[in-house]
Amino acid sequence: MVEKDTRRRTIHDVAQAAGVSISTASNALNGTGRTNAETRERVIRVAKEIGFRPNALARGLLSKRSHAIGMLTNDTYGRLTLPMAAGVSEVLVDHGLSVFLCATNNDPRLARLHLEALLDRQVDGIIFTATRLDLEPPAELAKLAIPVVYAFAEGPPETISFFPDDAQGARLAVEHLKGLGRSRILHITGPEDYLSVRIRAEAYCESFGKGAEVHYGDWSEEWGHEAIDAVFSRPGEKPDAIFCGNDEIARGVIDALRDIGITVPKDVAVVGFDNWEVISRQTRPPLTTVDMELKEIGRRAGLAILRLTQGEAVPTGITRLSCRLVVRQSCGGQAG
Amino acid sequence: MVEKDTRRRTIHDVAQAAGVSISTASNALNGTGRTNAETRERVIRVAKEIGFRPNALARGLLSKRSHAIGMLTNDTYGRLTLPMAAGVSEVLVDHGLSVFLCATNNDPRLARLHLEALLDRQVDGIIFTATRLDLEPPAELAKLAIPVVYAFAEGPPETISFFPDDAQGARLAVEHLKGLGRSRILHITGPEDYLSVRIRAEAYCESFGKGAEVHYGDWSEEWGHEAIDAVFSRPGEKPDAIFCGNDEIARGVIDALRDIGITVPKDVAVVGFDNWEVISRQTRPPLTTVDMELKEIGRRAGLAILRLTQGEAVPTGITRLSCRLVVRQSCGGQAG
DNA sequence: CTGAAAGCGCTAACAT
DNA sequence: ATGTTAGCGCTTTCAG
């Protein structure tokens, strides 16, 4: 009994089966050089028949392009990184680029380990993503010979970065509330040492004008509760709208308001930030919130890397991508 | 002015700089063959000096091992896939294996595209992960010449699969409640067509015994609300504990109980399933819940692939990994 | 239009 | 102990 040959078919097999030389087979398959239409078709047919698939390693060795990129992320794939990864992958898969996912877990040793592995594998480029804008990317990245793109992170000058436009997102929220006739809008948000927190707060202050009031805290529902309890237990005029720094805070705010008998959105309108659906769809009422379009950020980063690996130029600097307001019922919008 | 040579250093450069032949350099660096200790050290030193890093493509071409594996996942990286990916990566990175992440988004075209790309890249193995146990993995996977491991998914007979032990997890929850003196435990869970739902429900019934009562619904907070409203508005004895099919349902349950003036955990204890922290830490009181140890599933899958790629045998069949009960305050546990 | 040959960077027999 | 050589699978001059 003859053992079945389980080896992968090589271009050598194709050439032999088609009765041509290896180089002719290669030319035919890649449409390079001059090849008789007839032979070309025969070669292509044979290749399909015997299930030939070119070895990407051999190709990469020769072309010095691996058609793979690395995605380096500082966290264990939080809710920010993943939508971005989806966007990256979506853009690249149809161009034959694969993605190595490297979670560094904020550990510099791991980061270097992954980075070296990526370079050894001759990746055509690297996308660095982080969980907050003001996290310093590894300095080595800037010195690499291959293209690097920063997503949700800021690279050094002359590099390419994609950000959500936090200021525009905040304005979107405030203008929406103003348009609904709200006039005493409070901002309850996260820790002041986050860059996005400061940007959003500043845009809120500018957009709302006199009477703006920012409460910094942490990213938790509990903080939303606390803040509401504090604000509504003090004397004086009460707010008629709350713009929250993220959806978790917004959820705490909404729950706290209900607890003290205030109706959302009739008495107080609430807007969140993130559109993290497990929260924003489940608040009662569902939450109007600002979506940072993370997937789009990923897409843009992927596209940029794609262009760069093809030798095209991509403008350097920070590109701020617009946020989108997702209107649900917590502001008095239509039921839906 | 001489252009700086930005080419990557090759073993040829090392050999030249160390004044030895290429093969001696190779032997010295890899510790293969016989090499004089002195030359070996010199070669290694020189290699480090000029920043030599071996080209993984060339190595892979020769050894037919790319030291990369593919992770194929059916969803756009949901909360289930990601912890598993983290576990996989954690185990493999120190062994020099990199991971291609391929999100198929439940699209068969994408799945095949990714699979072919992985094979072209000569990956050493593939891990398939899904978002539910009873999702049929692509049939092509079983026929591959390389090792395949299924995580949170069931492969065909004679393959290797890792599952959470849903039945044990459910028993953990029920026994915990019984141990706390609860005697009228209800099970409010997800859609009956989910295998995990059926397994958990069955284990609950067996463990709780006479009087078991299962309410099937969907995976939402809303359903938790509805179910509680229905149960507490009907005549007859009321439950003193609820075992929920996931954390979202549990959150709805807790909120609904509070709405009708029932205190958790005093009057009714609640246990969830998933330990999705954005929910389970934020319920009031925080939720006692069953953790499926997804990261551990990923680790085991990664370890299995590692063994297989090294030619070691790994027992086939389904391995069910124990769940862990995370005790918070929704059952009357200690405050923490 | 086709084929022979060189070589990408590396490893592993085999000579020396 | 070290060097020479062949070759992994592929693309690409360059002769024919």
Side-chain angles (χ1 to χ4, degrees):
Chain A
M1 176 157 151
V2 182
E3 259 193 45
K4 190 185 165 213
D5 188 356
T6 179
R7 259 186 34 254
R8 290 197 57 165
R9 305 298 154 192
T10 72
I11 198 165
H12 181 259
D13 300 324
V14 176
Q16 192 168 1
V20 295
S21 78
I22 291 186
S23 51
T24 304
S26 174
N27 280 331
L29 291 169
N30 299 308
T32 54
R34 289 157 298 274
T35 329
N36 188 342
E38 193 190 344
T39 12
R40 181 164 52 244
E41 273 164 38
R42 180 158 41 92
V43 169
I44 291 174
R45 184 169 44 73
V46 166
K48 190 171 288 177
E49 272 172 24
I50 68 175
F52 167 73
R53 312 225 79 229
N55 182 326
L57 263 39
R59 277 197 162 171
L61 182 56
L62 208 48
S63 67
K64 308 203 179 291
R65 294 205 40 206
S66 63
H67 293 276
I69 68 145
M71 189 154 164
L72 217 53
T73 165
N74 79 75
D75 76 329
T76 314
Y77 324 157
R79 71 179 194 284
L80 296 174
T81 302
L82 291 158
M84 289 193 278
V88 169
S89 178
E90 191 179 297
V91 167
L92 298 183
V93 67
D94 280 318
H95 293 266
L97 289 193
S98 299
V99 179
F100 284 112
L101 189 60
C102 306
T104 67
N105 211 12
N106 265 325
D107 172 351
R109 182 195 74 97
L110 260 186
R112 203 169 43 254
L113 209 59
H114 271 131
L115 183 55
E116 290 184 347
L118 289 175
L119 295 176
D120 292 354
R121 289 170 195 290
Q122 316 288 115
V123 290
D124 298 339
I126 289 182
I127 295 179
F128 177 83
T129 73
T131 44
R132 53 184 288 191
L133 299 178
D134 41 1
L135 191 119
E136 196 79 30
E140 306 97 286
L141 283 181
K143 307 189 202 102
L144 299 181
I146 55 174
V148 176
V149 168
Y150 301 82
F152 215 92
E154 181 172 358
E158 299 303 302
T159 61
I160 299 168
S161 309
F162 293 93
F163 278 19
D165 191 338
D166 283 292
Q168 174 263 352
R171 281 195 300 271
L172 219 50
V174 175
E175 296 304 327
H176 182 70
L177 289 169
K178 278 160 66 174
L180 259 30
R182 308 290 168 153
S183 56
R184 295 183 307 284
I185 307 171
L186 232 59
H187 186 36
I188 300 178
T189 186
E192 195 171 358
D193 71 301
Y194 272 68
L195 177 59
S196 336
V197 166
R198 296 195 299 277
I199 295 178
R200 291 172 198 170
E202 202 175 318
Y204 150 80
C205 288
E206 273 180 22
S207 178
F208 181 53
K210 213 169 136 52
E213 185 183 324
V214 181
H215 294 248
Y216 299 100
D218 56 41
W219 291 125
S220 71
E221 290 192 26
E222 214 177 332
W223 159 238
H225 266 277
E226 275 174 36
I228 288 301
D229 289 346
V231 165
F232 281 82
S233 64
R234 73 188 183 190
E237 223 176 18
K238 302 293 182 271
D240 60 4
I242 316 274
F243 167 40
C244 300
N246 80 353
D247 289 352
E248 289 173 88
I249 294 174
R251 170 146 208 178
V253 163
I254 288 179
D255 284 352
L257 288 170
R258 190 177 37 249
D259 285 357
I260 57 178
I262 291 171
T263 309
V264 175
K266 193 170 66 64
D267 302 329
V268 174
V270 177
V271 178
F273 212 107
D274 277 0
N275 193 28
W276 194 5
E277 300 209 340
V278 61
I279 299 174
S280 58
R281 298 177 81 102
Q282 300 284 346
T283 56
R284 290 177 298 154
L287 187 64
T288 291
T289 184
V290 178
D291 188 309
M292 293 187 282
E293 302 276 32
L294 296 170
K295 198 168 179 186
E296 180 63 17
I297 293 182
R299 262 191 228 109
R300 293 291 298 272
L303 219 51
I305 275 286
L306 187 63
R307 295 235 174 87
L308 289 167
T309 60
Q310 292 169 345
E312 297 172 39
V314 174
T316 60
I318 296 171
T319 303
R320 293 182 193 278
L321 296 169
S322 294
C323 301
R324 177 175 57 99
L325 190 73
V326 178
V327 179
R328 296 199 181 89
Q329 288 94 61
S330 67
C331 290
Q334 296 304 313
Chain B
M1 176 159 148
V2 183
E3 259 192 46
K4 189 182 166 216
D5 188 356
T6 180
R7 259 185 35 252
R8 289 197 59 164
R9 305 298 154 193
T10 72
I11 199 164
H12 182 257
D13 300 323
V14 177
Q16 192 168 357
V20 296
S21 78
I22 291 188
S23 54
T24 304
S26 173
N27 280 331
L29 291 169
N30 299 310
T32 54
R34 288 156 297 276
T35 331
N36 188 343
E38 194 189 343
T39 13
R40 181 165 51 243
E41 274 163 36
R42 180 158 41 90
V43 169
I44 290 174
R45 185 169 45 73
V46 165
K48 191 171 288 177
E49 272 173 24
I50 68 174
F52 168 73
R53 312 226 80 229
N55 182 325
L57 263 38
R59 278 195 162 173
L61 182 56
L62 205 49
S63 67
K64 307 207 179 290
R65 295 205 39 207
S66 63
H67 294 276
I69 69 144
M71 189 155 164
L72 217 51
T73 164
N74 79 75
D75 77 330
T76 314
Y77 323 158
R79 71 179 195 284
L80 296 174
T81 301
L82 291 157
M84 289 193 278
V88 169
S89 179
E90 192 179 298
V91 167
L92 299 183
V93 66
D94 281 318
H95 292 267
L97 290 193
S98 299
V99 179
F100 283 112
L101 190 59
C102 306
T104 67
N105 211 10
N106 264 326
D107 172 350
R109 183 196 75 98
L110 261 185
R112 203 170 41 253
L113 209 59
H114 272 131
L115 182 56
E116 290 184 346
L118 289 174
L119 296 176
D120 291 354
R121 288 169 196 290
Q122 317 287 116
V123 290
D124 298 339
I126 289 181
I127 296 179
F128 177 83
T129 73
T131 44
R132 51 184 291 191
L133 300 178
D134 40 3
L135 191 117
E136 196 79 29
E140 306 97 286
L141 284 180
K143 308 189 202 102
L144 300 180
I146 55 175
V148 176
V149 168
Y150 301 82
F152 215 93
E154 181 172 358
E158 299 303 301
T159 61
I160 299 169
S161 310
F162 293 92
F163 278 20
D165 192 338
D166 283 293
Q168 174 263 352
R171 281 195 299 271
L172 219 49
V174 175
E175 295 305 326
H176 181 69
L177 289 168
K178 277 160 67 174
L180 258 30
R182 308 289 169 154
S183 56
R184 295 183 306 283
I185 308 171
L186 232 60
H187 186 36
I188 300 178
T189 187
E192 195 170 359
D193 72 300
Y194 271 67
L195 177 60
S196 334
V197 166
R198 296 195 300 275
I199 295 178
R200 292 172 197 170
E202 200 174 320
Y204 150 79
C205 288
E206 273 179 22
S207 178
F208 181 52
K210 213 169 139 51
E213 185 182 324
V214 182
H215 295 249
Y216 299 100
D218 55 42
W219 291 123
S220 71
E221 290 192 24
E222 215 178 331
W223 159 238
H225 267 278
E226 275 175 36
I228 288 301
D229 289 346
V231 165
F232 280 83
S233 64
R234 72 187 184 192
E237 223 175 18
K238 303 291 182 272
D240 59 5
I242 315 275
F243 168 40
C244 300
N246 79 352
D247 289 352
E248 290 173 88
I249 294 173
R251 170 146 208 177
V253 163
I254 288 180
D255 285 352
L257 288 170
R258 191 178 34 252
D259 285 357
I260 56 178
I262 292 172
T263 308
V264 175
K266 190 170 69 65
D267 302 329
V268 175
V270 177
V271 178
F273 211 108
D274 276 359
N275 193 28
W276 194 6
E277 300 208 339
V278 61
I279 300 174
S280 58
R281 298 176 81 101
Q282 300 284 347
T283 55
R284 290 179 299 155
L287 187 64
T288 292
T289 185
V290 178
D291 189 308
M292 292 186 283
E293 302 278 31
L294 295 171
K295 199 168 178 184
E296 181 62 18
I297 293 183
R299 264 192 227 106
R300 293 291 297 273
L303 219 52
I305 274 286
L306 187 62
R307 296 236 174 85
L308 289 166
T309 61
Q310 292 169 345
E312 296 172 39
V314 173
T316 61
I318 296 170
T319 304
R320 294 183 191 278
L321 296 169
S322 293
C323 302
R324 176 175 57 98
L325 190 73
V326 178
V327 178
R328 296 199 181 90
Q329 287 94 59
S330 67
C331 290
Q334 296 304 313

